[in-house]
């Protein structure tokens, strides 16, 4: 296949405008040139990308697939520009950090705010991944620092204590489970759940844990934060599984019942993960030092 960014930008413009002439105008091309480029693009890919209709154009199934990927390409390019811009502005350091959902939502906001206040010349790229993904990325040298809850046998990494917390079950105050002090995870799988969005590390972990028990979890709704999980649960939508450290903020809006989970994996002792601490850059080492300060559990 032979095409360039101009072709992709033109295709997005045409697909969004649903008109070749208006799409060409958006990217400052003549309609004849745009039509020629689209024809060559379709020939290169080997299939039609646009349906020509009396009142305009619309993407074919192949065109819809290209549109999704092209948008991702330009989003990634924008992220690349965002990552490079600080260097041109005199920022002297950058640290790549991956963390699981628990750390990303519950503890890292405060920790990273402290670090960035101390180091205004440093930028951080933070991504959310499952703990095994984080550990493997650190072991391969793809990222500088990780924060994880699970260990991975055989991975050549160093682990430094960060925070102690545990996963708990939350339920509406009038739920049948509310009076219980603790429960097994297998005993609650008949109830609907409120979950973080698909793709979040805790969503993946919870679904896999249910599958390992031979069960399918009924997810009533997926939301974007632990606070939203707490509010949905308090409204009676379903049960939730969140870190204990996230309950206080979420419960500020409505009462919740907190039920301990009688599972070894419920204890989520978060650890900072690095390949070799002595090999870290100065800024990455400073970040690790900042994260390892004040190793406390939830209040």
């Amino acid at each position: 296949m032979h095409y360039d960014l101009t072709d992709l930008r033109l295709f997005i413009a045409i697909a969004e405008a649903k008109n070749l002439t208006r799409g060409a105008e958006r990217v400052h091309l003549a309609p004849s040139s745009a039509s020629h480029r689209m024809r060559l693009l379709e020939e290169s890919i080997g299939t039609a990308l646009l349906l020509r209709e009396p009142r305009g154009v619309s993407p074919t199934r192949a065109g819809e697939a290209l549109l999704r990927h092209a948008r991702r390409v330009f989003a990634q390019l924008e992220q690349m520009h965002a990552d490079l811009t600080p260097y041109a502005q005199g920022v002297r350091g950058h640290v790549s950090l991956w963390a699981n959902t628990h750390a990303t939502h519950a503890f890292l906001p405060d920790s990273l705010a402290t670090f960035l206040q101390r180091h205004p010349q440093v930028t951080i790229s933070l991504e959310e991944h499952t703990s095994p993904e984080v550990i493997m990325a650190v072991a391969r040298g793809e990222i500088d620092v990780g924060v994880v809850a699970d260990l991975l046998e055989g991975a050549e990494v160093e682990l430094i204590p960060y925070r102690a917390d545990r996963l708990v079950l939350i339920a509406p105050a009038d739920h049948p489970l509310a009076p219980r002090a603790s429960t097994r995870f297998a005993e609650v799988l008949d109830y609907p759940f409120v979950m973080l969005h698909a793709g979040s590390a805790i969503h993946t972990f919870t679904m896999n844990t249910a599958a390992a028990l031979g069960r399918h979890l009924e997810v009533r709704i997926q939301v974007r934060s632990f606070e939203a999980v707490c509010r949905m649960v308090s409204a009676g939508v379903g049960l939730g599984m969140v870190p204990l450290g996230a309950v206080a903020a979420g419960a500020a809006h409505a009462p919740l019942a907190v039920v301990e989970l009688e599972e070894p994996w419920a204890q989520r002792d978060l650890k900072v993960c690095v390949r070799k601490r002595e090999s870290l850059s100065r800024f990455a080492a400073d970040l690790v030092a900042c994260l390892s300060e004040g190793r406390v559990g939830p209040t």
Side-chain angles (χ1 to χ4, degrees):
M1 297 182 189
H2 301 283
Y3 48 86
D4 56 26
L5 293 178
T6 300
D7 294 330
L8 296 182
R9 189 174 285 108
L10 171 63
F11 178 75
I12 292 173
I14 293 173
E16 291 179 345
K18 301 185 184 300
N19 183 281
L20 189 144
T21 299
R22 290 198 297 271
E25 290 174 352
R26 288 186 182 184
V27 295
H28 310 292
L29 288 175
S32 58
S33 176
S35 179
H36 179 66
R37 278 183 172 273
M38 284 298 96
R39 180 175 58 80
L40 293 180
L41 180 60
E42 289 177 323
E43 290 177 359
S44 175
I45 293 176
T47 188
L49 299 172
L50 294 169
L51 292 172
R52 278 74 174 177
E53 301 168 331
R55 295 187 178 182
V57 297
S58 61
T60 63
R61 293 290 293 275
E64 291 173 352
L66 177 61
L67 183 60
R68 288 195 302 272
H69 286 288
R71 284 171 171 161
R72 290 174 189 160
V73 166
F74 285 105
Q76 193 64 40
L77 284 172
E78 287 301 316
Q79 184 61 55
M80 180 185 72
H81 294 321
D83 290 343
L84 291 175
T85 296
Y87 294 100
Q89 296 174 343
V91 172
R92 298 196 302 273
H94 179 81
V95 182
S96 55
L97 171 65
W98 286 11
N100 68 351
T101 309
H102 184 183
T104 301
H105 290 257
F107 297 114
L108 281 175
D110 289 340
S111 295
L112 295 182
T114 298
F115 174 80
L116 292 171
Q117 287 169 1
R118 295 176 183 174
H119 299 82
Q121 74 277 44
V122 180
T123 62
I124 295 175
S125 59
L126 172 63
E127 294 186 23
E128 181 183 316
H129 295 272
T130 63
S131 290
E133 290 171 343
V134 175
I135 292 173
M136 291 307 300
V138 169
R140 291 192 295 259
E142 296 173 2
I143 60 172
D144 301 311
V145 183
V147 179
V148 301
D150 300 320
L151 305 181
L152 195 62
E153 292 294 332
E156 296 183 359
V157 297
E158 294 183 20
L159 298 172
I160 301 126
Y162 173 48
R163 293 288 188 274
D165 203 355
R166 62 181 293 108
L167 291 175
V168 295
L169 193 77
I170 55 174
D174 59 352
H175 194 277
L177 289 173
R180 300 183 63 169
S182 65
T183 185
R184 300 283 295 179
F185 183 60
E187 296 174 0
V188 302
L189 296 180
D190 289 330
Y191 295 103
F193 268 72
V194 177
M195 296 283 292
L196 281 190
H197 58 93
S200 64
I202 197 167
H203 180 280
T204 301
F205 173 81
T206 307
M207 300 303 285
N208 288 344
T209 302
L213 295 172
R215 301 292 300 276
H216 174 72
L217 202 65
E218 180 189 349
V219 179
R220 294 288 302 281
I221 190 169
Q222 298 177 34
V223 294
R224 302 296 298 187
S225 69
F226 285 131
E227 181 179 355
V229 172
C230 292
R231 297 186 71 170
M232 284 289 180
V233 170
S234 68
V237 175
L239 301 178
M241 191 167 73
V242 300
L244 182 58
V247 174
H253 302 282
L256 287 169
V258 178
V259 183
E260 295 282 341
L261 284 163
E262 302 169 4
E263 317 288 344
W265 49 254
Q267 186 64 37
R268 309 297 279 178
D269 291 335
L270 298 172
K271 296 176 176 62
V272 177
C273 175
V274 297
R275 194 175 187 183
K276 289 183 179 180
R277 194 164 184 176
E278 64 270 18
S279 301
L280 292 172
S281 69
R282 179 165 65 89
F283 294 121
D286 288 346
L287 175 60
V288 171
C290 181
L291 294 178
S292 60
E293 291 175 1
R295 305 165 189 168
V296 297
T299 57

